[in-house]
Amino acid sequence: MSEGSKGSSLAFGQVVIGPPGSGKTTYCHGMQEFMGRIGRKVTVVNLDPANEAMPYQCAVDIAELITLPDVMENLKLGPNGGLIYCMEYLEANFDWLQEKLAAFRGHYYLFDCPGQVELYTHHNALKNVFAQLAKWNFRLAAVHLVDSHYCTDPGKFISVLCTSLSTMLHVELPHVNILSKMDLIEQYGKLAFNLDYYTEVLDLSYLVDHLASDPFFRNYRRLNEKLVEVIEDYSLVSFVPLNVQDKESMRQVMQAVDKANGYSFGDQEHRSLEALMSAAVGADFHFTSTLAVQEKYVQSQDRAVEEEMMDL
């Protein structure tokens, strides 16, 4: 993986990003296991210096280079400033990262990244790390995880859309936005619209109207309209729903990412994937596909329409 070497082989992978608590580490663990079961050699690289409890098998750990507690103690920095310093230190030590990654040639890489949003919307250190990986012939896709419970709050969902758009424009990688924890979405309340409305980011004027019913947000209708216009003008943001414990959901996400970074799997992996999916109702997976959530809302809406017609 010598820098600028056009003859070196391509390496494919994902940089897993998103706010704290969105499920990045759980996603890396689940994707490592899922890909391993279809025969793909997967290497997980932990780039989060604050990540101490990792459920996955970590091949490369930034803690060998620098840790957040050490930075906070020695430089008297807070968590946010400490994370920025750690990423700048990583950027200044590309040779360490290159040496570690060179031991896993031919593998598929999952980069578990920190959860500080500013690193993906304003600061350039991680962006420069991704750019350096591209120079080493890495073909990466950014997998941006967002907790699905934000769909139950229109104001928060607009904020998520703005953050996702800003991240896509700043990181400058092929991008797949993920609505994580779909199996838990109904614990936070009922969705105002069909699930497709949120995943496909359809006509957001309905979302603004829904917000206007809240006395607090009514005063900010004009601001929300302008934010929605920006999101719709770029027309870049959409989401793939994810339930890590559902094989079908994992397959859909994996194929979306493979399409984004250009990875093409061989016949053996394809056969392994088919065999895995044919046994999808296994003891180790207890949740049905996220389509069940979608169908529930479709059916409830159909019943509401039927009741309205009967009243007429």
Side-chain angles (χ1 to χ4, degrees):
M1 287 193 308
S2 60
E3 184 173 353
S5 173
K6 295 182 180 179
S8 60
S9 60
L10 293 177
F12 292 89
Q14 310 174 20
V15 293
V16 184
I17 61 179
S22 57
K24 297 184 295 298
T25 298
T26 301
Y27 171 86
C28 289
H29 184 210
M31 190 58 74
Q32 181 186 43
E33 289 188 343
F34 184 82
M35 289 183 172
R37 295 179 68 176
I38 62 174
R40 193 181 299 189
K41 295 179 180 179
V42 180
T43 293
V44 181
V45 180
N46 176 43
L47 294 184
D48 185 356
N51 199 351
E52 297 178 348
M54 293 172 287
Y56 49 72
Q57 296 178 357
C58 183
V60 179
D61 190 355
I62 193 177
E64 299 176 19
L65 178 69
I66 191 171
T67 65
L68 181 60
D70 288 344
V71 169
M72 292 174 62
E73 181 180 353
N74 295 326
L75 300 181
K76 308 304 178 186
L77 294 172
N80 291 339
L83 270 175
I84 289 176
Y85 180 89
C86 289
M87 293 302 101
E88 291 176 344
Y89 192 80
L90 175 63
E91 182 187 2
N93 289 273
F94 280 140
D95 54 340
W96 174 86
L97 183 61
Q98 184 176 20
E99 180 182 351
K100 291 293 184 180
L101 296 178
F104 301 96
R105 284 190 178 93
H107 286 214
Y108 187 96
Y109 297 84
L110 296 174
F111 294 89
D112 189 2
C113 298
Q116 187 177 357
V117 175
E118 292 86 349
L119 291 171
Y120 314 113
T121 58
H122 298 86
H123 201 260
N124 287 326
L126 260 183
K127 174 183 176 181
N128 294 338
V129 170
F130 300 154
Q132 185 62 48
L133 289 169
K135 293 179 181 178
W136 294 338
N137 279 335
F138 277 78
R139 297 296 179 263
L140 301 173
V143 177
H144 184 217
L145 270 66
V146 175
D147 198 317
S148 60
H149 85 264
Y150 290 120
C151 295
T152 61
D153 187 316
K156 291 180 180 178
F157 188 65
I158 289 179
S159 176
V160 161
L161 292 173
C162 291
T163 302
S164 299
L165 177 59
S166 179
T167 300
M168 295 175 76
L169 296 175
H170 184 74
V171 172
E172 297 180 347
L173 283 176
H175 216 89
V176 178
N177 292 302
I178 304 290
L179 283 177
S180 63
K181 307 178 186 179
M182 284 301 300
D183 51 304
L184 303 177
I185 187 172
E186 292 186 304
Q187 294 184 9
Y188 300 98
K190 182 177 174 59
L191 297 180
F193 304 101
N194 186 353
L195 185 62
D196 280 347
Y197 180 85
Y198 300 94
T199 57
E200 301 300 326
V201 188
L202 302 175
D203 188 352
L204 296 179
S205 62
Y206 292 104
L207 205 61
V208 175
D209 292 338
H210 188 68
L211 270 174
S213 62
D214 188 313
F216 175 80
F217 287 105
R218 190 176 301 145
N219 297 326
Y220 301 97
R221 182 185 180 98
R222 186 61 177 164
L223 173 62
N224 289 324
E225 287 176 347
K226 290 302 180 182
L227 290 174
V228 163
E229 285 180 15
V230 171
I231 295 165
E232 291 184 330
D233 285 347
Y234 276 95
S235 190
L236 291 175
V237 184
S238 62
F239 295 94
V240 179
L242 171 67
N243 172 6
V244 172
Q245 301 190 63
D246 177 32
K247 292 180 182 178
E248 175 60 26
S249 179
M250 290 291 285
R251 182 187 67 83
Q252 291 177 356
V253 170
M254 184 188 72
Q255 291 182 336
V257 177
D258 285 349
K259 183 178 180 181
N261 66 12
Y263 181 90
S264 58
F265 50 80
D267 291 337
Q268 181 59 46
E269 181 175 314
H270 183 64
R271 288 194 295 270
S272 299
L273 179 60
E274 288 182 342
L276 178 64
M277 297 311 300
S278 67
V281 188
D284 54 339
F285 286 83
H286 305 292
F287 294 93
T288 56
S289 169
T290 53
L291 291 176
V293 177
Q294 180 178 352
E295 289 172 357
K296 178 176 180 180
Y297 283 102
V298 171
Q299 292 170 0
S300 64
Q301 287 181 349
D302 290 344
R303 285 195 297 270
V305 172
E306 290 176 359
E307 291 173 357
E308 290 179 2
M309 294 299 294
M310 292 178 64
D311 291 339
L312 292 176

